[in-house]
Amino acid sequence: MTEGTQLMQMLTVGQVAETFGVTVRTLHHYDQIGLLVPSERSSAGYRLYTEEDLTRLQHIVVYRRLEMPLDEIATLLESGDVATHLRRQREAVMARLDEMEGLVAAIDNALEKTMADQPMTTDDMKQLFGDSYEDYQEEARERWGESDAFKESKRRTKSYTKADWLTIKAEADQIQGQLAQLFKDGVIADSAEAMDGVEAHRLHITRWFYDVSPQFHRNLGDMYIADPRYTEAYDGSFDAPGFALWVRDAIYANSERQEL
């Protein structure tokens, strides 16, 4: 087989990005940190990915979908063959399925009550948002019970249907999930992407609960690292130590941008 034929069988960055559903920027980042370095280069200096490179990328994509941090993925890829990685991934997926089944049951229960036009009980809210829901509600009353923001939140949420709460939960999960992905990808807190992400968080609260100014958003960011429970909710839930601090820093950067 000639060298030209071999090169034709390899994929460029753009082709790999399209095939695997990742961005060119992500592939460049993986190359820079040594997680996935293309094995070949064209005569013009362009990156070329071999079959072995693509197999490695397949494992990276699966591990990322399981929300593993990049440094942990790098460690895993240094040991074990293809079968070992597949077994690890299957075990992780099965564990996630068990977790998702519990969430589906909570959503189905809420949906059933929605269709029957029944109000959400405290137990229903705890099932949907977690056991800490009631504690956070009580703390909110103690901290901000007399504030305009708390009163506005109580006024709005009083009329929310079960479908509204499901929408709120889905939006919050999506925003936090996207922020966690940026953090795990090594995106810096004062980047446009990070600031846009926390701005979506600010607008989410404003849309559903109470008006959040950039200054008040900074107060929330401070609470995320001052209160261990909130820090754990960010760092622990996404297995991402330092995530809460990164969110706080992104909020501060976005606040400064909003005030320019």
Side-chain angles (χ1 to χ4, degrees):
M1 184 180 297
T2 66
E3 180 180 357
T5 303
Q6 289 177 331
L7 292 178
M8 289 178 61
Q9 291 181 336
M10 300 176 191
L11 298 184
T12 65
V13 172
Q15 291 171 327
V16 172
E18 182 178 357
T19 301
F20 286 84
V22 298
T23 66
V24 171
R25 179 177 179 177
T26 295
L27 291 173
H28 286 170
H29 180 63
Y30 290 169
D31 186 1
Q32 291 170 356
I33 65 176
L35 181 62
L36 179 66
V37 179
S39 297
E40 300 290 343
R41 294 271 180 168
S42 70
S43 58
Y46 294 116
R47 297 173 175 84
L48 292 175
Y49 292 80
T50 65
E51 183 177 349
E52 290 76 14
D53 296 334
L54 299 181
T55 298
R56 185 178 176 90
L57 178 58
Q58 287 175 340
H59 293 314
I60 294 172
V61 169
V62 173
Y63 283 135
R64 290 301 288 135
R65 292 189 64 182
L66 292 171
E67 299 181 352
M68 288 187 180
L70 295 179
D71 56 350
E72 183 177 338
I73 293 174
T75 300
L76 287 174
L77 292 178
E78 293 308 313
S79 62
D81 54 14
V82 173
T84 300
H85 290 301
L86 292 176
R87 282 194 292 268
R88 286 173 179 163
Q89 292 162 6
R90 187 180 189 281
E91 290 172 359
V93 170
M94 293 305 296
R96 186 66 56 84
L97 283 176
D98 291 340
E99 177 185 343
M100 290 297 103
E101 285 178 359
L103 181 58
V104 168
I107 293 174
D108 285 346
N109 180 47
L111 183 59
E112 181 179 349
K113 293 190 175 184
T114 299
M115 300 302 291
D117 198 25
Q118 297 176 12
M120 290 276 278
T121 66
T122 299
D123 287 341
D124 293 334
M125 297 293 281
K126 288 171 63 177
Q127 187 178 19
L128 187 60
F129 290 99
D131 292 336
S132 59
Y133 167 79
E134 198 167 14
D135 292 338
Y136 286 142
Q137 288 294 300
E138 180 60 31
E139 182 175 354
R141 280 191 289 270
E142 292 178 1
R143 285 192 178 189
W144 305 298
E146 298 303 318
S147 69
D148 292 338
F150 185 84
K151 293 175 182 178
E152 175 67 10
S153 178
K154 294 295 290 184
R155 184 190 67 79
R156 292 195 201 178
T157 58
K158 184 178 181 180
S159 63
Y160 285 168
T161 65
K162 283 69 63 182
D164 290 330
W165 283 114
L166 288 172
T167 299
I168 291 169
K169 178 66 164 54
E171 284 187 8
D173 287 348
Q174 181 181 20
I175 291 170
Q176 290 185 325
Q178 290 173 341
L179 287 171
Q181 189 69 53
L182 291 173
F183 172 74
K184 292 180 178 181
D185 282 343
V187 176
I188 59 176
D190 60 354
S191 67
E193 291 173 293
M195 289 189 288
D196 288 345
V198 295
E199 176 66 6
H201 174 263
R202 186 179 75 86
L203 295 178
H204 170 78
I205 300 174
T206 296
R207 178 166 57 253
W208 290 105
F209 299 102
Y210 53 87
D211 292 339
V212 180
S213 66
Q215 173 60 51
F216 195 86
H217 204 204
R218 288 199 291 267
N219 295 337
L220 293 179
D222 289 337
M223 184 178 66
Y224 295 158
I225 60 172
D227 190 322
R229 291 171 299 176
Y230 284 94
T231 303
E232 175 61 23
Y234 277 88
D235 292 10
S237 297
F238 294 94
D239 189 22
F243 180 38
L245 178 60
W246 181 89
V247 171
R248 194 284 303 270
D249 291 346
I251 287 174
Y252 265 69
N254 181 60
S255 176
E256 293 176 2
R257 180 179 66 167
Q258 295 296 320
E259 293 174 348
L260 291 179

